[in-house]
């Protein structure tokens, strides 16, 4: 982390020296000295960090880290005091004179601090020269590790696929399935036990997802217990899954029920059905006993599958005569070699010059899949022609027999992956330690935070967003971040950390004073806090004097409401250097005035709060890059928002009245929104005037745009604006009222070559020609389009070459939809909703050959199954929701010998249900 802190500071100093020379004045030479000395040490820092057993080096690294942090603090404080602008006119001149007099003392104090830091850096530099001669190695061994992006996109996908295809899992999977499916008329517990990194969760997930297992049980639930489990949360999660599976809402009173009452709901639900319940990552016998009491005592053939690292937990859970303990074993040498080669070389072959050292490295992994995948991710980016680099990786493992346990060996492997990271990735990874255990991290959100905190280096010609995403992909590629979910268009949606890696990162971050996680058990703030995460906020009295170094505050959950009063006290005179403030879900009705004094603030999220008004003071926050007001009650932005020329993301859209399809959900913008030329995300803007629509065309960096309240007469103007928005990836257009026409068919034809997702909400006279030419489009939703049968909508859309998801909701007024031969070649997900005049759906041969999900809802005139549905040979899911009584009855009562039954017998999941609370709810047949 010393390397990361130093590297981060050097970049900041370079920027500051180039932009604020006049401000530094006589301090410039001192600042340049600090930069030069730290730069000269940088090459040795990574090597020193890898030698964790050398106390002398570790103490030196601590001093480097602290001086880097202190320099950053002084630099930001300097900017805070002297780089702020002043108003024009007489008042501005008076303010400038007043602040100049006021800041003379502050400038003197900062000068003394920089002089002191210069002295400290000189002493550190002297020790650096001595230590490098004692402990240093030739720098050539570290040369390739500095390469930031080594053809990542070429191999990223293949590496992710290989990771998913773990070696040596078929035999244990078959054994577990056999134990689970063996017919015994009582509850059976199957416990999978083994040390972390052996793949217990992966194995059980493959068993849980197996078609034969799914078919055997009526209800299925997966609960991650984890170390800090809360029984009430576990039960609520279980209830949610059970009710979701049958497409039914949970009892509304469940939220206020105590544990005993919630337990009874579970018992009643599971009493007479066959269920399989996975309890993943159980850490104590007490946790098992508590959850066991929730389950009914019955004779139904149900199964509980448990994973744990602790043998005593496995034994305590398997006391019955039919219970079974499966002890995970490391991979064999052959399996380890196969996994290692697949992960490192993307094949079963190892270059001859590397075979000897590769086998020595693999031996250190001791057959642990997590260790093999992690080290393979590091080695995959090394130069295969330079054996010495691989030798250095081998020697980085430490002594052969140091008396440490197996968990420490995994830790060394994972720390090796960490130590091999470029300095700019270390900060990104360590920052993830703020998130709770088993937390699904939204990728787009964490990227914005990385950018706001300055972790993402600027590069000419490449946007910060693209650079941040390359960081994310590189961390995934190195097996340090796991992909949890992807969007329909293939983009990363959520990610997370393996629990072992998270433990290491939390420990590392705490040790290096990088992040602090405060829980309900904390008694006081640490002495110095840089990045603070509060898990389950409680309004405990605290002293906030230690917050002067604070750069980010993120809150996860609330035991007590976060009041405006508390937040004001928290911010008053404390974290003036704050860059990230995330208060999602807080019960705030206004923004404390102290927020608008945070000169360095770059990321402000009030998502889901009760805030109603954004005051004019927002214009003071000229460093802001992200404002998230989604889910708030803000309906209009002040003109001062236009002062925020660095703004990249402006996310709007209030709660609205969802009972009304056309409720006001956007936010009014002042004229001149086009001045915010750095905007990449603009979501929820009301465009009910031609001025706003015209201004949008000036935002040429936009990647995501959601515009609402569009009038018919502004359609052509919008197309003219879109013509200039060539970077768009996602576009949402909604008209001002239900009967308004989206007039998007003109001679102006925007060329949106990167657009992957499009939602059009409003009447269309025909499918715009420019829509049918979107070569990259993967997701298309037409809402309330009311297209006529003679418009050949399916024929024109069927030629979109990359379309994978199509939703037609009240979008078609014809009686017949025909999917013709050769159309929709890549379509995987199709939903037809509220097509009130639709009677027949026809699927011709070789149409939609890739379709996996088909949902039909609210098409009341349909009385027959889709004709030709047997042609959809890859269909895995067929849903009928609120269709005609005749069709619903027919589907529910299909005779196995009937022709209709034969046409859908190849489909694994057939569901019928209803539209409840804004979503489809159903039951499997």
């Amino acid at each position: 982390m010393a390397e990361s802190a130093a590297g981060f500071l050097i970049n900041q100093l370079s920027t500051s020296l180039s932009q604020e020379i006049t401000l530094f004045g006589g301090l410039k030479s001192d600042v340049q000295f600090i930069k030069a000395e730290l730069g000269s040490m940088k090459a040795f820092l990574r090597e020193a960090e890898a030698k964790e057993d050398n106390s002398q080096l570790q103490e030196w690294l601590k001093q480097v880290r602290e001086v880097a942090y202190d320099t950053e603090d002084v630099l930001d404080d300097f900017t805070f005091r002297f780089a702020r602008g002043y108003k024009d006119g007489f008042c501005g001149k008076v303010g400038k004179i007043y602040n100049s007099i006021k800041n003379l003392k502050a400038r003197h104090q900062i000068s003394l601090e920089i002089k002191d830091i210069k002295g400290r850096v000189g002493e550190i530099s002297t020790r650096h020269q001595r230590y490098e001669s004692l402990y240093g190695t030739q720098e050539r061994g570290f040369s390739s590790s500095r390469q930031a992006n080594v053809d990542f996109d070429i191999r990223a996908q293949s590496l992710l696929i290989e990771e998913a295809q773990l070696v040596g899992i078929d035999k244990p999977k078959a054994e577990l399935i056999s134990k689970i499916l063996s017919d015994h008329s009582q509850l059976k517990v199957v416990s999978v036990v083994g040390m972390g990194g052996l793949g217990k969760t992966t194995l059980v997930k493959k068993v849980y997802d197996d078609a034969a297992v799914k078919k055997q049980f009526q209800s299925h639930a997966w609960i991650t217990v984890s170390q800090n489990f809360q029984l009430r949360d576990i039960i609520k999660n279980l209830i949610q899954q059970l009710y979701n599976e049958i497409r039914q809402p949970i009892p509304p009173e469940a939220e206020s029920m105590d544990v005993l009452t919630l337990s009874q709901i579970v018992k009643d639900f599971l009493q007479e059905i066959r269920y399989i319940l996975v309890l993943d990552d159980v850490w104590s016998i007490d946790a098992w006993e508590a959850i066991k009491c929730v389950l009914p005592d019955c004779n139904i053939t149900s199964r509980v599958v448990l994973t744990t690292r602790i043998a005593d937990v496995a034994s305590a859970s398997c006391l019955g005569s039919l219970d079974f303990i499966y002890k995970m074993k490391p991979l064999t040498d052959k399996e380890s070699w196969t996994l290692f080669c697949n992960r490192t070389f993307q094949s079963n072959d190892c270059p001859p010059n590397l075979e000897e050292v590769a086998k020595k490295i693999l031996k250190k992994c001791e057959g642990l899949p997590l260790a093999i995948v992690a080290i393979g991710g590091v080695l995959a980016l090394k130069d295969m022609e330079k054996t010495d680099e691989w030798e250095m990786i081998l020697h980085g493992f430490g002594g052969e027999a140091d008396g440490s346990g197996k968990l420490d060996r995994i830790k060394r492997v994972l720390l090796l992956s960490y130590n091999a990271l470029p300095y700019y990735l270390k900060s990104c990874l360590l920052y993830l330690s703020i998130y709770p255990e088993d937390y699904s991290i939204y990728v787009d959100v964490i990227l914005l935070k990385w950018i706001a905190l300055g972790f993402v280096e600027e590069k000419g010609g490449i946007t910060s967003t693209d650079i941040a995403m390359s960081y994310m992909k590189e961390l995934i590629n190195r097996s340090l971040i796991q992909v949890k979910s992807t969007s329909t268009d293939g983009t990363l949606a959520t990610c997370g950390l393996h629990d072992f890696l998270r433990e290491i990162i939390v420990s590392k971050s705490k040790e290096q004073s990088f992040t602090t996680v405060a829980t309900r058990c904390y008694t006081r703030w640490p002495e110095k806090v840089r990045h603070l995460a509060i898990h389950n906020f409680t309004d405990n009295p605290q002293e906030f004097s230690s917050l002067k170094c604070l750069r980010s505050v993120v809150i996860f959950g609330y035991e007590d409401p976060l009041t405006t009063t508390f937040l004001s006290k928290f911010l008053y005179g404390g974290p003036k250097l704050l860059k990230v403030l995330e208060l999602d879900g807080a019960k705030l009705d206004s923004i404390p005035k102290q927020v608008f004094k945070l000169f360095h603030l770059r990321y402000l999220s009030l998502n889901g709060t009760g805030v109603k008004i954004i005051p004019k003071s927002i214009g003071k926050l000229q460093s802001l890059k992200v404002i998230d007001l989604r889910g708030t009650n803000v309906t209009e932005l002040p003109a001062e928002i236009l002062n925020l020329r660095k703004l990249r993301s402006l996310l709007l859209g209030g709660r609205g009245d969802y009972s009304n399809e056309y409720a006001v959900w956007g936010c009014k913008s002042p004229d001149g929104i086009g001045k915010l030329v750095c905007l990449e995300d603009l979501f929820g803007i009301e465009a009910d005037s031609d001025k706003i629509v015209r201004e949008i065309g000036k935002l040429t960096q936009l990647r995501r745009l959601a515009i609402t309240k569009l009038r018919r007469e502004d359609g052509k103007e919008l197309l003219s604006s879109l013509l200039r928005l060539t970077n768009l990836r996602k576009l949402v257009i909604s008209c001002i009222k239900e009967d308004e026409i989206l007039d998007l068919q003109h001679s102006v034809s925007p060329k949106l070559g990167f657009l992957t997702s499009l939602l059009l909400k409003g009447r269309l006279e025909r499918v715009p020609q420019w829509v049918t030419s979107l070569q990259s489009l993967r997701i298309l939703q037409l809402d309330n389009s009311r297209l006529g049968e003679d418009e050949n909508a399916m024929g024109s859309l069927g030629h979109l070459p990359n379309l994978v998801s199509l939703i037609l909701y009240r979008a078609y007024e014809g009686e017949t939809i025909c999917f013709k031969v050769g159309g929709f070649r890549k379509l995987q997900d199709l939903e037809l909703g509220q097509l009130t005049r639709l009677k027949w759906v026809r699927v011709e041969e070789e149409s939609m050959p890739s379709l996996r999900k088909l949902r039909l809802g609210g098409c009341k005139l349909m009385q027959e199954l889709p004709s030709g549905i047997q042609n959809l040979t890859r269909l895995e899911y067929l849903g009928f929701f609120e269709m005609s009584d005749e069709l619903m009855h027919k589907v529910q009562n299909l005779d196995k010998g009937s022709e209709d039954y034969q046409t859908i017998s190849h489909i694994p999941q057939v569901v019928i249900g209803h539209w409840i609370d804004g979503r489809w709810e159903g039951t499997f047949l």
Side-chain angles (χ1 to χ4, degrees):
M1 189 61 198
E3 181 204 14
S4 181
F8 175 63
L9 176 62
I10 290 167
N11 285 336
Q12 190 177 6
L13 288 172
S14 298
T15 302
S16 298
L17 285 167
S18 64
Q19 295 178 354
E20 302 175 47
I21 292 176
T22 56
L23 284 174
F24 281 123
L27 301 177
K28 180 184 174 183
S29 60
D30 293 336
V31 174
Q32 287 177 327
F33 172 84
I34 295 169
K35 174 179 177 291
E37 288 300 308
L38 288 175
S40 68
M41 301 177 206
K42 189 178 169 186
F44 180 60
L45 289 173
R46 175 176 300 187
E47 189 175 348
E49 284 186 334
K51 302 178 184 297
E52 293 196 337
D53 56 345
N54 189 315
S55 59
Q56 222 177 14
L57 277 181
Q58 294 307 307
E59 178 60 30
W60 177 75
L61 286 170
K62 180 181 177 183
Q63 293 170 2
V64 174
R65 184 172 64 246
E66 289 177 349
V67 80
Y69 284 162
D70 290 346
T71 307
E72 182 193 350
D73 293 342
V74 171
L75 185 66
D76 283 349
D77 189 31
F78 181 90
T79 308
F80 173 79
R81 293 175 183 274
F82 303 111
R84 289 178 287 178
Y86 300 94
K87 297 180 181 178
D88 296 329
F90 177 76
C91 292
K93 291 179 180 178
V94 172
K96 187 172 184 179
I97 293 170
Y98 171 78
N99 281 290
S100 296
I101 297 171
K102 180 181 177 182
N103 287 331
L104 282 174
K105 184 177 180 180
R107 183 181 287 272
H108 177 67
Q109 179 62 36
I110 288 175
S111 175
L112 292 177
E113 290 177 358
I114 289 181
K115 295 286 185 185
D116 176 66
I117 289 173
K118 179 183 178 182
R120 290 163 60 192
V121 168
E123 294 175 4
I124 290 171
S125 181
T126 301
R127 284 193 292 275
H128 158 237
Q129 296 170 15
R130 183 167 71 252
Y131 293 155
E132 187 170 35
S133 64
L134 287 173
Y135 307 116
T137 61
Q138 290 183 335
E139 191 177 332
R140 59 184 173 86
F142 293 94
S143 59
S144 67
S145 64
R146 293 199 187 100
Q147 297 177 8
N149 300 299
V150 188
D151 298 326
F152 172 80
D153 288 323
I154 297 175
R155 55 168 57 183
Q157 191 61 39
S158 63
L159 289 174
L160 290 172
I161 292 171
E162 291 299 328
E163 179 182 347
Q165 298 172 348
L166 291 176
V167 175
I169 205 169
D170 291 335
K171 185 176 179 181
K173 176 185 172 184
E175 184 175 359
L176 281 183
I177 290 176
S178 174
K179 295 294 182 181
I180 288 172
L181 297 183
S182 55
D183 189 18
H184 299 287
S185 59
Q186 68 180 66
L187 178 68
K188 179 192 287 188
V189 178
V190 175
S191 188
V192 181
V193 63
M195 62 175 295
L198 281 173
K200 301 181 296 295
T201 300
T202 302
L203 170 61
V204 172
K205 187 69 166 66
K206 286 186 175 292
V207 171
Y208 179 78
D209 289 338
D210 186 83
V213 174
K214 288 286 187 186
K215 185 178 179 180
Q216 179 72 17
F217 302 99
Q218 297 163 292
S219 285
H220 315 77
W222 181 291
I223 301 294
T224 302
V225 180
S226 75
Q227 220 170 351
N228 300 315
F229 95 107
Q230 299 293 322
L231 183 59
R232 190 171 190 276
D233 293 341
I234 293 291
I235 301 173
K236 285 175 65 178
N237 188 357
L238 178 55
I239 292 172
Q240 186 74 58
Q241 290 189 47
L242 295 174
Y243 277 79
N244 282 350
E245 189 173 50
I246 63 171
R247 303 295 194 273
Q248 294 293 326
I250 66 173
E253 62 273 17
E255 188 63 34
S256 59
M257 289 180 179
D258 58 22
V259 170
L260 289 177
T261 310
L262 288 171
S263 300
Q264 194 59 48
I265 290 179
V266 175
K267 287 185 176 182
D268 293 341
F269 189 102
L270 298 177
Q271 189 67 42
E272 298 297 331
I273 62 173
R274 297 188 308 278
Y275 66 86
I276 181 169
L277 170 63
V278 174
L279 301 174
D280 186 35
D281 199 21
V282 181
W283 281 77
S284 68
I285 296 175
D286 288 345
W288 158 247
E289 294 292 348
I291 297 172
K292 181 182 177 183
C293 292
V294 177
L295 305 177
D297 295 321
C298 60
N299 293 324
I300 300 295
T301 313
S302 296
R303 301 289 181 261
V304 175
V305 183
L306 180 145
T307 72
T308 182
R309 303 174 185 179
I310 303 167
D312 287 349
V313 174
S315 300
S317 65
C318 294
L319 299 176
S321 59
L322 300 177
D323 294 341
F324 176 70
I325 297 176
Y326 182 83
K327 296 180 178 179
M328 290 285 287
K329 298 180 178 66
L331 299 178
T332 64
D333 290 346
K334 181 178 180 180
E335 292 168 341
S336 296
W337 182 250
T338 300
L339 178 60
F340 177 80
C341 290
N342 287 343
R343 184 69 175 104
T344 309
F345 309 113
Q346 295 77 61
S347 70
N348 289 323
D349 298 318
C350 171
N353 65 308
L354 295 175
E355 187 166 343
E356 182 178 352
V357 65
K359 287 187 174 179
K360 289 180 180 178
I361 292 173
L362 186 60
K363 184 179 179 181
K364 302 285 187 181
C365 296
E366 300 184 19
L368 302 174
L370 177 62
I372 296 169
V373 168
I375 195 62
V378 173
L379 296 172
L381 299 178
K382 295 294 179 185
D383 191 332
M384 296 182 188
E385 300 298 323
K386 296 182 178 180
T387 310
D388 57 338
E389 292 192 5
W390 288 58
E391 292 284 351
M392 292 188 71
I393 294 292
L394 172 62
H395 297 313
F397 274 89
E400 187 71 44
D402 57 0
S404 61
K406 289 185 177 180
L407 297 184
D408 293 326
R409 293 189 181 118
I410 296 179
K411 180 179 178 181
R412 282 204 305 273
V413 171
L414 293 176
L415 277 178
L416 182 61
S417 297
Y418 168 80
N419 289 333
L421 289 175
Y423 74 88
Y424 52 85
L425 288 184
K426 289 181 178 178
S427 296
C428 294
L429 183 64
L430 287 183
Y431 189 70
L432 300 186
S433 64
I434 69 170
Y435 289 95
E437 190 175 357
D438 301 316
Y439 194 89
S440 291
I441 304 167
Y442 286 102
V443 171
D444 56 351
V445 172
I446 191 60
L447 297 188
L448 291 174
K449 290 178 184 174
W450 285 350
I451 293 170
L453 291 168
F455 298 160
V456 177
E457 291 186 353
E458 299 284 347
K459 295 182 182 178
I462 307 176
T463 67
S464 296
T465 304
D466 285 337
I467 297 171
M469 180 57 79
S470 74
Y471 288 5
M472 172 63 69
K473 289 182 176 179
E474 190 170 350
L475 287 167
I476 292 170
N477 185 48
R478 293 169 181 258
S479 300
L480 292 169
I481 291 180
Q482 297 175 330
V483 176
K484 288 202 169 185
S485 67
T486 57
S487 301
T488 309
D489 62 357
T491 57
L492 297 173
T494 60
C495 65
L497 293 171
H498 187 280
D499 52 358
F500 259 109
L501 181 60
R502 180 182 174 274
E503 290 172 11
I504 293 169
I505 289 175
V506 169
S507 174
K508 199 81 172 173
S509 295
K510 184 178 179 181
E511 167 194 321
Q512 299 180 355
S513 304
F514 187 69
T515 63
T516 299
V517 177
T519 67
R520 49 188 153 191
C521 302
Y522 70 84
T523 56
R524 63 183 180 86
W525 301 109
E527 183 179 348
K528 282 189 176 181
V529 183
R530 299 195 79 77
H531 302 290
L532 175 64
I534 302 176
H535 297 179
N536 298 312
F537 169 80
T538 55
D539 193 358
N540 287 341
Q542 292 292 333
E543 292 295 330
F544 301 133
S545 57
S546 61
L547 302 182
K548 64 179 182 179
C549 304
L550 196 62
R551 295 305 196 280
S552 69
V553 176
V554 182
I555 300 180
F556 300 95
Y558 300 87
E559 288 278 312
D560 302 322
L562 176 63
T563 63
T564 303
T565 302
F566 181 93
L567 186 58
S568 298
K569 182 182 177 183
F570 179 84
L571 296 174
Y572 182 77
K576 61 185 177 182
L577 307 181
L578 200 65
K579 295 181 179 180
V580 170
L581 180 60
E582 183 178 273
L583 304 172
D584 292 6
K587 301 299 182 183
L588 297 174
D589 54 8
S590 63
I591 307 174
K593 62 182 181 181
Q594 285 79 11
V595 169
F596 305 108
K597 297 179 181 180
L598 300 173
F599 173 76
H600 288 285
L601 194 64
R602 299 177 182 176
Y603 179 107
L604 175 62
S605 180
L606 301 168
N607 192 327
T609 66
V611 171
K612 300 176 182 178
I613 297 175
I614 301 299
K616 295 180 180 181
S617 307
I618 192 73
K620 297 179 180 179
L621 301 178
Q622 295 186 24
S623 297
L624 265 182
K625 295 185 177 183
V626 179
I627 305 177
D628 190 348
L629 300 175
R630 291 173 295 179
T632 66
N633 294 316
V634 176
T635 58
E636 186 170 0
L637 296 174
E640 286 72 14
I641 200 83
L642 303 180
N643 295 336
L644 310 182
R645 300 302 173 86
K646 296 180 181 179
L647 205 59
R648 294 174 181 269
S649 295
L650 181 54
L651 309 176
L652 311 168
R655 295 164 180 165
D657 176 11
Y658 294 114
S659 63
N660 178 358
E661 286 292 323
Y662 283 83
V664 177
W665 59 273
C667 190
K668 290 183 180 295
S669 165
D671 292 342
I673 193 73
K675 295 177 181 178
L676 303 179
V677 294
C678 291
L679 273 179
E680 295 181 8
D681 294 335
L682 179 56
F683 248 62
I685 184 173
E686 291 185 4
D688 53 352
S689 74
D690 58 346
K691 290 182 180 179
I692 296 296
V693 174
R694 193 177 304 115
E695 288 285 318
I696 287 174
K698 299 177 182 179
L699 306 175
T700 56
Q701 299 302 312
L702 277 180
R703 294 185 170 215
R704 301 194 303 168
L705 170 63
I707 182 171
T708 186
K709 285 199 171 182
L710 184 72
R711 305 178 304 177
R712 176 173 185 167
E713 57 264 34
D714 294 329
K716 186 175 182 180
E717 191 69 58
L718 177 61
L719 292 178
S720 297
S721 291
L722 292 178
L723 198 61
R724 290 180 278 176
L725 305 185
T726 55
N727 289 308
L728 273 183
R729 269 67 169 173
K730 183 173 184 177
L731 175 62
V732 178
I733 304 173
S734 178
C735 63
I736 193 168
K737 55 186 178 181
E738 185 170 0
D739 293 328
E740 192 85 359
I741 289 178
L742 284 179
D743 188 13
L744 302 176
Q745 183 71 41
H746 290 276
S747 57
V748 179
S749 184
K751 303 293 189 289
L752 304 176
F754 296 110
L755 195 70
T756 61
S757 178
L758 174 63
L759 189 160
L760 300 177
K761 185 173 183 179
R763 294 192 63 180
L764 293 172
E765 294 176 333
R766 64 183 63 86
V767 176
Q769 187 173 355
W770 61 271
V771 173
T772 63
S773 66
L774 297 172
Q775 298 297 299
S776 299
L777 194 67
R778 296 176 63 82
I779 301 173
L780 175 61
Q781 180 173 347
L782 299 180
D783 189 333
N784 200 50
S785 302
R786 306 188 194 178
L787 294 164
E789 192 164 356
D790 58 343
E791 297 302 331
N792 190 29
M794 294 304 102
S796 59
L797 296 176
H799 296 295
L800 289 168
N802 289 298
L803 194 67
V804 296
S805 176
L806 175 62
I807 299 176
L808 301 178
Y809 183 76
R810 300 197 302 181
Y812 185 75
E813 293 191 333
E815 293 185 349
T816 303
I817 289 182
C818 183
F819 296 93
K820 296 185 178 180
V821 175
F824 298 101
R825 303 299 298 176
K826 292 187 178 181
L827 194 67
Q828 298 179 17
D829 194 331
L830 173 62
E831 180 172 327
L832 306 177
Q834 297 295 321
L835 307 184
T836 55
R837 297 184 183 181
L838 185 66
K839 293 182 179 180
W840 299 284
V841 175
R842 296 196 177 107
V843 181
E844 296 184 358
E845 290 186 22
E846 299 183 23
S847 174
M848 301 188 289
S850 303
L851 197 69
R852 286 169 169 75
K853 290 184 179 181
L854 172 58
R855 291 180 296 278
L856 301 166
C859 307
K860 295 288 189 178
L861 297 184
M862 277 191 67
Q863 298 183 15
E864 302 292 335
L865 292 173
S867 173
I869 196 171
Q870 67 276 8
N871 296 324
L872 303 176
T873 56
R874 294 189 179 183
L875 198 63
E876 300 171 353
Y877 176 99
L878 175 60
F880 298 94
F881 301 91
E882 294 190 4
M883 302 294 283
S884 66
D885 293 340
E886 293 85 352
L887 182 56
M888 298 292 273
H889 182 268
K890 178 180 292 188
V891 174
Q892 279 183 294
N893 298 280
L894 284 176
D895 187 283
K896 289 188 177 181
S898 67
E899 183 178 346
D900 283 337
Y901 180 84
Q902 297 303 318
T903 62
I904 65 171
S905 60
H906 67 288
I907 305 172
Q909 296 181 333
V910 179
V911 177
I912 61 170
H914 301 277
W915 179 260
I916 300 174
D917 295 333
R919 63 178 180 176
W920 299 119
E921 302 277 2
T923 56
F924 291 95
L925 295 180

